[in-house]
Amino acid sequence: MIIVTAAAQAAPPAASFPPQLSVMTYNVEGLPWPVRSDRADAEQAIGKKLRALRQRGAQPHILVLQEAFTDSAKAIATAGGYRYIANGPARDDPGAPPTTASDRQFMSGARMMAGETVGKWVDSGLRIASDYPIVAVRRMAYPAYACAGLDCLANKGALAVQIAVPGLPQPVVVVATHMNSRAAAGVAFDRSFYAYRRQVDALGRFIAAAAPPSWPLIVAGDFNAGQGANRHAYLVQSAAQWRPQAGMSVAMNQCLAQQSCTKSNAPDIQFSFRRKRDWQFYSPGTSVGLRVAGLAAIFGHDARGAMLSDHVGYMADYAVSAKSTAGLTRLAVR
């Protein structure tokens, strides 16, 4: 579903593309009771800050949310004044069944006490909000067997949107995801790693279907690579195959390698970098140039050391350029 707000219907079209396209990824910790309680105030504060940024013209153009499970978490994008909003997989969206012996064996080892056989309690928690028109959407729930531990209670998956940025000859495809956790899953690491690998594999197939190799691509979300070296290696090796010719870059890695790239709250950027959970991968298109130009930690630690979520919400500014006047084509809406 694409939600178009009244502000979108009244907004005049822009005449030319922006020199920079800003994308923020943020796990807002919008977990329901009894897993978390008293989150509504923090989630409302997030929306209010985004609205205040908009009033100064400093809001992210595109907002990628994870763990937006509760009503107050889902309301963040609307409170922030975003014109177009797309939701990720719903609670009841089916995932693919196992097709190999190893997948069936893994699925047979699921335990009720680990939360693996009681069904989905919530949806994917994914939302993408945009100031520019979302003209097509694809969704995918991760395979039914590809989850481990408490993460099985959420219908995790991926969401892809095609965004028509004014003046650009090609759409920008933005993909959001939230992958299986490691320690927080509450099961053995080898079990959560098996589910993680199958999710990464499914994400690669989803990206291949959702994003033609000639279009600019941004993949953002909570990848939960963390401190597991095997997870980090598997993710990076797989991401390299998403765009084998043009290649995929990691915004944080590219930016931290440059001087004066981090625009604000450098300690929070470094904090997020060390945790290795919140990533933005990007690749240009044949007719649209795309490169990271700056990072800013919009939601990090306050003066008391507290945060509105257990993740840093950071924004990447991408310099965009039109390379030609190729016609705009569109993804099929699914």
Short mmCIF file of all heavy atoms in Angstrom, two decimals, residues 26-31 43 65-70 73 124-126 156 178 222 310-311:
data_model
loop_
_atom_site.label_atom_id
_atom_site.label_comp_id
_atom_site.label_asym_id
_atom_site.label_seq_id
_atom_site.Cartn_x
_atom_site.Cartn_y
_atom_site.Cartn_z
N TYR A 26 16.75 4.28 10.22
CA TYR A 26 16.56 4.40 11.66
C TYR A 26 15.71 3.24 12.17
O TYR A 26 14.56 3.07 11.76
CB TYR A 26 15.87 5.73 11.98
CG TYR A 26 15.89 6.16 13.43
CD1 TYR A 26 16.77 5.61 14.36
CD2 TYR A 26 15.05 7.17 13.87
CE1 TYR A 26 16.80 6.03 15.67
CE2 TYR A 26 15.06 7.62 15.19
CZ TYR A 26 15.94 7.05 16.09
OH TYR A 26 15.95 7.47 17.40
N ASN A 27 16.29 2.44 13.05
CA ASN A 27 15.54 1.45 13.81
C ASN A 27 14.98 2.17 15.02
O ASN A 27 15.73 2.54 15.93
CB ASN A 27 16.44 0.28 14.22
CG ASN A 27 15.70 -0.80 14.98
OD1 ASN A 27 14.80 -0.54 15.76
ND2 ASN A 27 16.10 -2.04 14.76
N VAL A 28 13.66 2.38 15.04
CA VAL A 28 13.05 3.25 16.05
C VAL A 28 12.64 2.51 17.31
O VAL A 28 12.03 3.10 18.20
CB VAL A 28 11.83 4.00 15.46
CG1 VAL A 28 12.28 4.93 14.34
CG2 VAL A 28 10.77 3.03 14.97
N GLU A 29 12.96 1.22 17.41
CA GLU A 29 12.65 0.43 18.61
C GLU A 29 11.16 0.50 18.95
O GLU A 29 10.78 0.61 20.11
CB GLU A 29 13.51 0.89 19.80
CG GLU A 29 13.60 -0.13 20.92
CD GLU A 29 14.36 0.39 22.13
OE1 GLU A 29 14.87 1.52 22.08
OE2 GLU A 29 14.45 -0.36 23.12
N GLY A 30 10.33 0.42 17.91
CA GLY A 30 8.89 0.49 18.13
C GLY A 30 8.30 -0.86 18.46
O GLY A 30 7.35 -1.31 17.81
N LEU A 31 8.85 -1.51 19.46
CA LEU A 31 8.42 -2.85 19.84
C LEU A 31 7.20 -2.78 20.74
O LEU A 31 7.10 -1.91 21.60
CB LEU A 31 9.55 -3.59 20.55
CG LEU A 31 10.82 -3.81 19.73
CD1 LEU A 31 11.96 -4.31 20.60
CD2 LEU A 31 10.55 -4.79 18.60
N GLU A 43 8.66 7.76 20.53
CA GLU A 43 8.27 7.70 19.12
C GLU A 43 7.62 9.01 18.67
O GLU A 43 7.86 9.49 17.56
CB GLU A 43 7.34 6.50 18.91
CG GLU A 43 8.09 5.18 19.05
CD GLU A 43 7.20 4.02 19.47
OE1 GLU A 43 5.98 4.22 19.62
OE2 GLU A 43 7.74 2.92 19.67
N LEU A 65 12.52 3.24 7.88
CA LEU A 65 12.30 2.87 9.27
C LEU A 65 12.27 1.37 9.44
O LEU A 65 11.73 0.64 8.61
CB LEU A 65 10.98 3.46 9.78
CG LEU A 65 10.83 4.97 9.79
CD1 LEU A 65 9.45 5.36 10.32
CD2 LEU A 65 11.93 5.63 10.62
N GLN A 66 12.82 0.91 10.56
CA GLN A 66 12.68 -0.47 11.00
C GLN A 66 12.08 -0.48 12.40
O GLN A 66 12.17 0.49 13.13
CB GLN A 66 14.04 -1.18 11.01
CG GLN A 66 14.81 -1.09 9.71
CD GLN A 66 15.79 0.08 9.71
OE1 GLN A 66 16.62 0.21 10.62
NE2 GLN A 66 15.72 0.92 8.70
N GLU A 67 11.46 -1.61 12.74
CA GLU A 67 10.77 -1.80 14.02
C GLU A 67 9.67 -0.78 14.25
O GLU A 67 9.39 -0.38 15.38
CB GLU A 67 11.75 -1.84 15.20
CG GLU A 67 12.58 -3.10 15.24
CD GLU A 67 13.36 -3.31 16.53
OE1 GLU A 67 13.20 -2.50 17.48
OE2 GLU A 67 14.15 -4.26 16.58
N ALA A 68 9.01 -0.37 13.18
CA ALA A 68 7.83 0.50 13.32
C ALA A 68 6.61 -0.40 13.47
O ALA A 68 5.76 -0.49 12.58
CB ALA A 68 7.71 1.42 12.12
N PHE A 69 6.52 -1.07 14.62
CA PHE A 69 5.46 -2.04 14.85
C PHE A 69 4.21 -1.40 15.47
O PHE A 69 3.10 -1.75 15.13
CB PHE A 69 5.95 -3.16 15.78
CG PHE A 69 7.05 -4.01 15.21
CD1 PHE A 69 8.29 -4.08 15.81
CD2 PHE A 69 6.84 -4.76 14.06
CE1 PHE A 69 9.30 -4.88 15.30
CE2 PHE A 69 7.84 -5.56 13.53
CZ PHE A 69 9.07 -5.62 14.15
N THR A 70 4.40 -0.48 16.41
CA THR A 70 3.27 0.08 17.14
C THR A 70 2.63 1.21 16.34
O THR A 70 3.20 1.76 15.40
CB THR A 70 3.73 0.63 18.49
OG1 THR A 70 4.66 1.71 18.27
CG2 THR A 70 4.42 -0.46 19.32
N ALA A 73 4.74 4.28 16.45
CA ALA A 73 5.92 4.18 15.60
C ALA A 73 5.54 4.34 14.13
O ALA A 73 6.25 4.99 13.36
CB ALA A 73 6.62 2.84 15.82
N SER A 124 6.33 -6.74 9.44
CA SER A 124 7.78 -6.59 9.24
C SER A 124 8.36 -5.38 9.97
O SER A 124 9.58 -5.32 10.18
CB SER A 124 8.08 -6.44 7.75
OG SER A 124 7.46 -5.26 7.24
N GLY A 125 7.52 -4.40 10.31
CA GLY A 125 8.01 -3.19 10.94
C GLY A 125 8.73 -2.24 9.99
O GLY A 125 9.32 -1.26 10.43
N LEU A 126 8.66 -2.52 8.69
CA LEU A 126 9.36 -1.70 7.70
C LEU A 126 8.44 -0.62 7.14
O LEU A 126 7.28 -0.88 6.82
CB LEU A 126 9.87 -2.56 6.54
CG LEU A 126 10.92 -3.62 6.88
CD1 LEU A 126 11.22 -4.47 5.65
CD2 LEU A 126 12.21 -2.97 7.41
N LYS A 156 9.67 -10.60 9.23
CA LYS A 156 10.73 -9.80 8.63
C LYS A 156 10.86 -10.07 7.14
O LYS A 156 10.52 -11.15 6.66
CB LYS A 156 12.06 -10.08 9.34
CG LYS A 156 12.14 -9.50 10.74
CD LYS A 156 13.51 -9.64 11.36
CE LYS A 156 13.58 -8.89 12.68
NZ LYS A 156 14.90 -9.01 13.32
N HIS A 178 15.22 -5.60 7.45
CA HIS A 178 15.62 -5.82 8.84
C HIS A 178 15.87 -7.32 8.97
O HIS A 178 14.96 -8.12 8.77
CB HIS A 178 14.52 -5.36 9.80
CG HIS A 178 14.92 -5.42 11.24
ND1 HIS A 178 14.03 -5.17 12.27
CD2 HIS A 178 16.10 -5.70 11.85
CE1 HIS A 178 14.65 -5.29 13.42
NE2 HIS A 178 15.91 -5.62 13.19
N ASP A 222 18.51 -2.30 9.03
CA ASP A 222 19.21 -2.94 10.13
C ASP A 222 19.60 -4.34 9.67
O ASP A 222 18.80 -5.26 9.66
CB ASP A 222 18.27 -3.00 11.35
CG ASP A 222 18.94 -3.62 12.57
OD1 ASP A 222 20.10 -4.09 12.44
OD2 ASP A 222 18.30 -3.67 13.64
N ASP A 310 17.34 2.45 20.63
CA ASP A 310 18.60 1.75 20.90
C ASP A 310 19.52 1.73 19.68
O ASP A 310 20.54 1.04 19.68
CB ASP A 310 18.34 0.33 21.41
CG ASP A 310 17.49 -0.51 20.47
OD1 ASP A 310 17.01 0.04 19.46
OD2 ASP A 310 17.29 -1.71 20.76
N HIS A 311 19.15 2.46 18.63
CA HIS A 311 19.98 2.62 17.44
C HIS A 311 20.17 4.11 17.17
O HIS A 311 19.33 4.94 17.56
CB HIS A 311 19.32 2.00 16.20
CG HIS A 311 19.35 0.51 16.18
ND1 HIS A 311 20.07 -0.21 15.26
CD2 HIS A 311 18.74 -0.41 16.98
CE1 HIS A 311 19.91 -1.51 15.48
NE2 HIS A 311 19.09 -1.65 16.51
#
